[in-house]
Amino acid sequence: MHEVIILGSGPAGYTAAIYAARGGRHPLLVAGSTAAGGELMNTSEVENFPGFPDGIGGPALVTRMRAQAERFGARIIYDDVVDLAITETAKTVTLGSGQKHEASALIYATGSAPRPLGLAAERRLTGAGVSFCATCDGFFHRGRTVAVVGGGDSAVEEATFLAKFAARVYLIHRRTQLRASAIMQDRARGTANITFLPETEVVDIIGDSTVRALALRNGATGRQTHLAVDAVFIAIGHEPRTHLVQGKLDLAADGTIAVDGRSSRTSAPGVFAAGDVIDPTYRQAITAAASGATAALDAERYLTATTDPQRSTTTAPSASPAPEVPPVTGGAAAGDSLSRTTSTTWDEDVLDAPGAVLVDFWAPWCGTCTALTPLLEELQRTHGHRIRVTKVDVQAHPDLALRYRVTSLPSVKFFVDGDLRGSINGAITRSALDEAVTSHFG
Ligand SMILES: Cc1cc2nc3c(=O)[nH]c(=O)nc-3n(C[C@H](O)[C@H](O)[C@H](O)COP(=O)(O)OP(=O)(O)OC[C@H]3O[C@@H](n4cnc5c(N)ncnc54)[C@H](O)[C@@H]3O)c2cc1C
């Protein structure tokens, strides 16, 4: 029985872990698998987090938060919670691996997920031309035609970013006016290869194995047209990740978890919520971090009142030496223990290699790739006698990415005796990785 379990490894989760660990509560933090680190993992530069006058890369900021939590003894598991049971005395989480953990208090900080369009083809083609992350996948669309759907700051920022790679970027939005800030709009309007399609709705995504076109409907005339594109980036906002607590905790009308006033107390005693999952308005790293601190302090009070009335709230464990933190500007996935394969060694390492080889296509800018690395290292540790895991940097070896049609990161491919047996792309959960390993490697 743990004292406190924290769900989520974004700024809210890690800040809660720093406070709870420093308060001597030995928190267990379930980080998620490929979403580990949260939204900042796909943010190249954070310029508004206090303490970093020159800005800091999103992954580097999260890595520092993690190191600070670990320094005070927080234990971190890279897996997803797939089920949650809440009673007055115990909160039980079930992980993708099947493991169960129980605690007296729970801090729920699962953030938010990109909102899908809700079209049938969208799910099928995610990772094959449908993307929710321009920073991750823009690189693969050099010289191509792409579309961005949405009218807020994120959509306009994605369009401006993609315009550096793509020959033409269509920005498709439903209203007559964009919602994005004036400065973002001005930047996009000054970019020659961005074409604005206002009052336009995407009604279908067309393509068998990869995106070929969009079916569009004009809001004013109702006329339907087809637009040939190689990829579509969806940026229509985020939804709080509440699927695990539906029917277990009260939700607010906007879908966030309802909390009591300015506290983090939810409708279930001993369950606290923090970060974007409770915040429909501010949704910043600093506000999420502050909210994580509130949740840890609320949990501390709850534990003191319910489990150990004699305990002082100021018991702080001595900190262990700070773990090594990668350099502030450090690239993703640097310094791991996995082998590297290049265009020159590809045949020897993969095609001519006997047995099972798992190839992880990654890039230095891909935060999700960084989050996947600990899972692959664990796989190599536990199955190293029969599976070899190797990484290919697509930026350094675009020929391999092209040859194996990698258009979305991370992309993991499974080879047996040199034959490609299958692949999985995008936000790969731990359970999906385990299933694919069993199915392709036995
Ligand atoms: C493109 C982009 C750029 C941004 N830039 C900035 C910026 O410059 N400055 C700024 O202040 N803010 C920025 N933000 C906003 C900021 O990233 C968020 O407000 C902040 O990350 C929210 O923190 P959080 O901890 O609530 O959630 P998140 O960071 O989203 O973290 C959620 C965590 O929950 C975990 N999780 C989810 N489900 C489960 C599960 N079932 N089991 C276990 N774990 C789970 C995930 O793995 C993840 O670790 C940006 C956001 C985006 C999308």
Side-chain angles (χ1 to χ4, degrees), residues 8-12 31-32 35-40 43 48 81 109-111 275-276 283-285 288:
S9 55
E39 302 247 276
L40 292 181
T43 309
N48 50 12
V81 172
T110 52
D276 282 7
R283 303 163 54 83
Q284 290 294 295

Side-chain angles (χ1 to χ4, degrees), residues 254-419:
D254 55 32
T256 55
I257 295 176
V259 290
D260 180 11
R262 295 182 60 204
S263 81
S264 65
R265 290 187 298 274
T266 68
S267 54
V271 179
F272 306 89
D276 282 7
V277 78
I278 63 165
D279 180 0
T281 313
Y282 302 106
R283 303 163 54 83
Q284 290 294 295
I286 189 69
T287 51
S291 162
T294 304
L297 294 171
D298 286 343
E300 174 59 44
R301 271 182 212 120
Y302 172 83
L303 289 169
T304 304
T306 56
T307 60
D308 52 1
Q310 305 309 316
R311 190 178 186 276
S312 151
T313 55
T314 54
T315 334
S318 53
S320 38
E324 210 169 292
V325 179
V328 170
T329 52
D336 61 70
S337 62
L338 299 171
S339 75
R340 299 295 196 267
T341 292
T342 66
S343 305
T344 320
T345 61
W346 177 259
D347 284 6
E348 187 189 336
D349 289 349
V350 180
L351 297 186
D352 299 336
V357 182
L358 183 154
V359 183
D360 171 33
F361 288 86
W362 72 286
W365 65 78
C366 167
T368 319
C369 302
T370 317
L372 183 62
T373 299
L375 302 188
L376 296 177
E377 286 184 298
E378 192 184 319
L379 187 76
Q380 182 70 94
R381 263 195 316 277
T382 43
H383 296 285
H385 55 290
R386 59 185 196 96
I387 299 172
R388 203 161 55 75
V389 180
T390 188
K391 296 173 74 107
V392 171
D393 177 349
V394 296
Q395 188 174 30
H397 306 286
D399 53 318
L400 289 176
L402 194 66
R403 183 164 10 146
Y404 289 94
R405 298 189 180 167
V406 176
T407 57
S408 186
L409 292 178
S411 177
V412 171
K413 299 202 181 283
F414 301 85
F415 289 82
V416 177
D417 296 331
D419 287 338

Side-chain angles (χ1 to χ4, degrees), residues 59-97:
L61 180 58
V62 173
T63 305
R64 288 180 160 245
M65 292 179 184
R66 187 189 72 206
Q68 198 170 347
E70 284 179 326
R71 177 178 169 220
F72 292 106
R75 190 181 145 210
I76 300 170
I77 296 183
Y78 293 93
D79 200 347
D80 303 289
V81 172
V82 293
D83 195 25
L84 182 58
I86 299 171
T87 67
E88 180 93 29
T89 49
K91 285 78 194 162
T92 310
V93 299
T94 307
L95 307 185
S97 64

Side-chain angles (χ1 to χ4, degrees), residues 181-200:
S181 59
I183 184 166
M184 302 285 297
Q185 289 196 39
D186 289 348
R187 206 173 290 166
R189 290 192 198 285
T191 307
N193 57 340
I194 298 181
T195 303
F196 294 78
L197 298 180
E199 283 194 284
T200 304

Side-chain angles (χ1 to χ4, degrees), residues 27-272:
L28 172 71
L29 183 143
V30 185
S33 50
T34 41
E39 302 247 276
L40 292 181
M41 294 303 284
N42 290 315
T43 309
S44 50
E45 195 68 10
V46 180
E47 293 182 328
N48 50 12
F49 199 88
F52 299 95
D54 301 321
I56 180 168
L61 180 58
V62 173
T63 305
R64 288 180 160 245
M65 292 179 184
R66 187 189 72 206
Q68 198 170 347
E70 284 179 326
R71 177 178 169 220
F72 292 106
R75 190 181 145 210
I76 300 170
I77 296 183
Y78 293 93
D79 200 347
D80 303 289
V81 172
V82 293
D83 195 25
L84 182 58
I86 299 171
T87 67
E88 180 93 29
T89 49
K91 285 78 194 162
T92 310
V93 299
T94 307
L95 307 185
S97 64
Q99 256 181 43
K100 284 184 194 289
H101 292 273
E102 214 173 69
S104 305
L106 181 82
I107 296 177
Y108 196 87
T110 52
S112 58
R115 180 175 293 136
L117 289 168
L119 301 171
E122 182 180 21
R123 207 184 163 92
R124 183 170 53 81
L125 292 170
T126 294
V130 174
S131 173
F132 293 86
C133 179
T135 347
C136 315
D137 300 337
F139 170 81
F140 299 108
H141 300 288
R142 210 174 279 279
R144 294 172 149 195
T145 302
V146 304
V148 175
V149 186
D153 273 348
S154 300
V156 175
E157 190 176 347
E158 299 227 324
T160 312
F161 175 80
L162 287 165
K164 294 180 199 156
F165 302 93
R168 171 71 37 204
V169 179
Y170 290 97
L171 181 57
I172 301 170
H173 51 107
R174 276 187 316 174
R175 300 164 206 257
T176 45
Q177 304 285 331
L178 291 167
R179 275 181 299 108
S181 59
I183 184 166
M184 302 285 297
Q185 289 196 39
D186 289 348
R187 206 173 290 166
R189 290 192 198 285
T191 307
N193 57 340
I194 298 181
T195 303
F196 294 78
L197 298 180
E199 283 194 284
T200 304
E201 202 176 336
V202 177
V203 290
D204 202 3
I205 302 172
I206 297 154
D208 295 328
S209 56
T210 177
V211 171
R212 285 191 296 104
L214 300 177
L216 305 178
R217 182 170 50 219
N218 185 290
T221 62
R223 201 165 76 88
Q224 288 214 12
T225 49
H226 275 194
L227 178 71
V229 294
D230 300 301
V232 56
F233 292 81
I234 295 158
I236 54 169
H238 282 71
E239 286 170 349
R241 278 201 195 94
T242 54
H243 60 285
L244 291 170
V245 295
Q246 303 274 345
K248 295 173 185 163
L249 298 180
D250 288 352
L251 300 184
D254 55 32
T256 55
I257 295 176
V259 290
D260 180 11
R262 295 182 60 204
S263 81
S264 65
R265 290 187 298 274
T266 68
S267 54
V271 179
F272 306 89

